[in-house]
């Protein structure tokens, strides 16, 4: 990856998740832990690539609900957007060059802020 970027003078690597922010209960626990691991991996790659003075940049995207085939039957998906809207938001986020982005930004950025800071007791009542 680094060699390819040096040859091309640019490049990017991207990682996607929202549940990585906090541990989640019930059947989401393993899924959330896996996503948190990917977020940590992305951060580690980001550090390594900066140390190597690589032109590759790693963007970690935390998408909210985006309507796709995998969730087409889900009834309770607040703030869901269609796939075209979600994909455009992801492209804008990647092109922004920011290390971490919530997609779409509204309302997921404030939700992400709260998710990282809410006490466990509050999360237990929410889920």
């Amino acid at each position: 990856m680094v060699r390819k970027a040096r040859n091309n003078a640019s490049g990017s690597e991207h990682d996607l998740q929202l549940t990585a922010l906090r541990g989640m209960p019930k059947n989401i626990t393993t899924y959330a832990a896996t996503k948190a691991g990917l977020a940590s991996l992305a951060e580690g790659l980001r550090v390594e690539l900066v140390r190597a003075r690589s032109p590759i940049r790693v963007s970690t995207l935390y998408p909210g609900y985006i309507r796709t085939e995998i969730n087409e039957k889900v009834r309770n998906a607040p703030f869901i957007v269609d796939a075209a809207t979600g994909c455009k938001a992801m492209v804008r986020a990647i092109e922004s060059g920011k290390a971490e982005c919530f997609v779409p930004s509204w309302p997921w950025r404030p939700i992400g802020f709260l998710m990282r800071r809410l006490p466990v007791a509050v999360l237990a009542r929410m889920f």
Side-chain angles (χ1 to χ4, degrees):
M1 183 169 62
V2 172
R3 213 172 317 128
K4 180 182 175 192
R6 284 185 181 144
N7 292 338
N8 294 338
S10 68
S12 60
E13 195 66 27
H14 310 286
D15 177 40
L16 310 174
Q17 66 273 324
L18 175 62
T19 55
L21 299 176
R22 292 292 295 266
M24 297 287 177
K26 302 178 184 173
N27 61 340
I28 303 175
T29 301
T30 303
Y31 179 80
T34 302
K35 296 302 186 176
L38 290 173
S40 184
L41 175 65
E43 186 172 5
L45 285 172
R46 196 167 18 258
V47 171
E48 290 289 328
L49 292 167
V50 167
R51 282 184 68 193
R53 300 186 198 287
S54 171
I56 298 172
R57 297 295 173 252
V58 177
S59 297
T60 304
L61 304 183
Y62 297 95
Y65 294 120
I66 299 172
R67 179 67 65 199
T68 61
E69 291 178 10
I70 200 167
N71 63 17
E72 65 189 12
K73 295 181 182 177
V74 174
R75 292 185 186 267
N76 186 17
F79 311 116
I80 196 163
V81 297
D82 61 83
T85 301
C87 288
K88 287 176 187 174
M90 283 191 255
V91 169
R92 279 193 306 274
I94 292 166
E95 289 175 345
S96 77
K98 294 179 183 174
E100 295 184 316
C101 294
F102 292 89
V103 180
S105 181
W106 177 258
W108 298 107
R109 183 185 302 163
I111 289 172
F113 178 86
L114 290 173
M115 287 291 293
R116 285 182 168 154
R117 289 158 180 83
L118 287 174
V120 170
V122 173
L123 290 176
R125 286 193 301 267
M126 289 173 61
F127 298 101

